[in-house]
Amino acid sequence: MQHARRRLLRRSALVSTVALTVGLSLGATGAGAQPGTGAGPAAVTAQSTSAPKLSSPDPGVMANLFEWNWTSVAKECTDVLGPAGYGGVQVAPPQDSVKRTKLGDGSDTILHPWWEVYQPVDYRLTSRMGSEAEFKSMVKTCRQAGVKVYVDAVINHMTGQGDTSYGGRTFERYAYSDLGVNHNASYANSDFHKYSGDCPSASGGIEDFNNLAQVRYCELVGLSDLRTDTTKVRKTLAAYLNKLLGYGVSGFRVDAAKHIGQPDLDAIYARLHNTVDGTRPLWALEVFGGGPGILSPQAFTSSGTVLGLDGVKQIRDAFKSYPDAHVGSIATLKVFGADSGLTPGGKTLSFVQNHDTERNGDALNYKDGARNILATQWLLASGYGTPQVYSAFTFSTNDDSPPATADGMVTNTDCSGGAWTCIDRNAGILGMVGWHNYVGKAQRQNWWDDGANVIAFGRGAKGWVAFNNGPEPKKITVQTGLSAGTYCDVVHGKKSGGSCTGPTITVRGNGKATVTVGATDAVAIQANRRV
Ligand code: ARE
Ligand code: CA
């Protein structure tokens, strides 16, 4: 008990130091995330009554435990994420969703595909990941472990199919009674763009992803598009998100943010309460690249943080494997971030893959094995964005359900059976989470590469790392920027007492070290892990 409490105190001291030193550039993000004057009258009223403007702090490294059930998320926070120094965890959409009782068209073979959760029915937290009580308890447990919780918020639309929900409610499309928030508001026809006349496409769906009105007002893959431009819908959505904030949630990944649009996003954000920590909530907007002008991820950085979906493709192309087994060239990563055309790091949630891109070919995925781990370790070392480590379930078809009961309820994560990837627990990744936290915002220096697939760099005098994406081990002699000494390789070992449980690396008086980096492997040292 005493021991656990001491550990907790130490963690929170660590977290606040990280927030102070690392949070500065994100401080600017938070300020920028405050809606501007164009947010409309509703936003202005809400803002004048809300607490003083505060920025959202740097979340630190986030694990994205996609569709882990709440009990398993809680356990992971306590057993793995907190002790390793993860600052946050992103969880799947927790609101009540469609529960399919029959298959769709002929191509449809899976009754409870993973994507059921993206079809809200109401805002009670009765999902396939667990009950409202389990959700609340998970948030509490994670926070006690020093891990903040970020929720995937599905607020652009309601369901596109089905008639019953995990919470046992029945509905018809465009008529969802008793939503469970905002005095049990309901949605009726008049709350959907289908009936507002704003959608210009013939089919009522988004036929052209470059057409502004279609993107905002038409239906994304046939999902009932909410009139987020009305005060009633904004109030209802804000009531849902404020309920989550009240439970201790620290912010949101906003699903389909491109389809809500900046003015509506700003107006909804202006209605949000502060987090229980007294800061503004994280507002991480899902905007796929490719759209012109106002539809581009860059154009959403004035409304919040954005997901690094273009970065995912650059990482894939540098490492390469999926789907054609070719090796790319990680020497290209000397330039990565705003200088390679991506959104600025301080405004970006960066990752190697998420649940869409691991399936659509845009990204490396768990099937790339060591190469995927290597890329994740590189991301943690790069200093770009707020890095997420994606950890989910294995699949053979794009629609596969996570491991679940016949009824669709997700079963507890079992990291031994091969059904879950548990990448967040990989020992080398855990080592790099600690390394990332230790080097903080230290500048990259002493870049070295072989022109192909071996790279090395330091972060100030605090840490040094090398990656080999090639098929053979490679011996390199390079400047590390660290002072002379023998250091524990935190990718393959841990410092325990005065020694390292894995290999060590010796830095000579001139700062140079001679190191062999294994094939598809990394090594990393940090100034506070000297043996
Ligand atoms: C399912 C069925 C559909 C059915 C629908 C409604 O698959 O056949 O019509 O239900 O009944 C996820 C799944 C969908 C699923 C949906 C609802 O991926 O297959 O539909 O859940 O259950 C665009 C959007 C972007 C969106 C992607 C998928 O801009 O916001 O499409 N991503 C988020 C989530 C998804 C989720 C949804 C949104 C919906 O991350 O997981 O869908 O909540 C170009 C464009 C992009 C476009 C991209 C598509 O790059 O520029 O804008 O992304 O193509 O690849
Ligand atoms: Ca919309």
Side-chain angles (χ1 to χ4, degrees), residues 66 98 100 105 113-120 152 154 156-162 173 206 209-210 215 220-224 253-259 286-291 295 307 309 313 354-356 360 362 399:
F66 184 67
V98 68
R100 303 190 334 154
D105 58 38
W114 59 267
W115 42 255
E116 281 183 319
V117 301
Y118 288 96
Q119 301 198 33
D152 193 343
V154 185
N156 172 64
H157 51 258
M158 300 297 277
T159 59
Q161 55 186 267
R173 268 191 84 181
I206 300 171
F209 276 89
N210 296 336
V215 165
L220 169 65
V221 295
L223 296 158
S224 310
R253 176 247 186 213
V254 184
D255 183 66
K258 195 201 294 199
H259 307 280
E286 191 233 3
V287 181
F288 265 95
L295 294 174
L307 304 198
L309 288 158
K313 296 186 195 167
N354 69 355
H355 69 277
D356 288 329
N360 73 6
D362 279 358
D399 291 339

Side-chain angles (χ1 to χ4, degrees), residues 137-153:
S137 147
M138 175 274 287
V139 175
K140 195 171 165 212
T141 304
C142 287
R143 287 182 55 82
Q144 276 167 355
V147 182
K148 292 184 175 162
V149 178
Y150 301 89
V151 159
D152 193 343

Side-chain angles (χ1 to χ4, degrees), residues 67 88 111 224 232 300 353 356 368 375 480:
E67 295 193 353
L111 190 56
S224 310
K232 179 198 163 180
F300 280 80
Q353 71 261 149
D356 288 329
D368 290 304
T480 65

Side-chain angles (χ1 to χ4, degrees), residues 150-195:
Y150 301 89
V151 159
D152 193 343
V154 185
I155 56 176
N156 172 64
H157 51 258
M158 300 297 277
T159 59
Q161 55 186 267
D163 49 29
T164 185
S165 76
Y166 280 92
R169 300 185 64 81
T170 53
F171 64 91
E172 275 175 40
R173 268 191 84 181
Y174 311 111
Y176 307 85
S177 63
D178 189 1
L179 296 164
V181 292
N182 193 22
H183 308 293
N184 292 334
S186 301
Y187 289 143
N189 291 5
S190 55
D191 296 309
F192 293 92
H193 283 132
K194 163 138 178 129
Y195 298 97

Side-chain angles (χ1 to χ4, degrees), residues 290-361:
I294 203 172
L295 294 174
S296 68
Q298 281 75 7
F300 280 80
T301 56
S302 54
S303 292
T305 299
V306 293
L307 304 198
L309 288 158
D310 285 333
V312 153
K313 296 186 195 167
Q314 291 188 12
I315 296 169
R316 173 203 60 193
D317 290 343
F319 284 88
K320 226 162 193 162
S321 196
Y322 184 85
D324 61 5
H326 285 99
V327 179
S329 178
I330 62 172
T332 58
L333 296 172
K334 182 172 185 180
V335 176
F336 184 84
D339 290 344
S340 69
L342 303 177
T343 46
K347 294 266 186 178
T348 306
L349 216 57
S350 56
F351 42 85
V352 175
Q353 71 261 149
N354 69 355
H355 69 277
D356 288 329
T357 57
E358 72 168 338
R359 291 177 169 81
N360 73 6

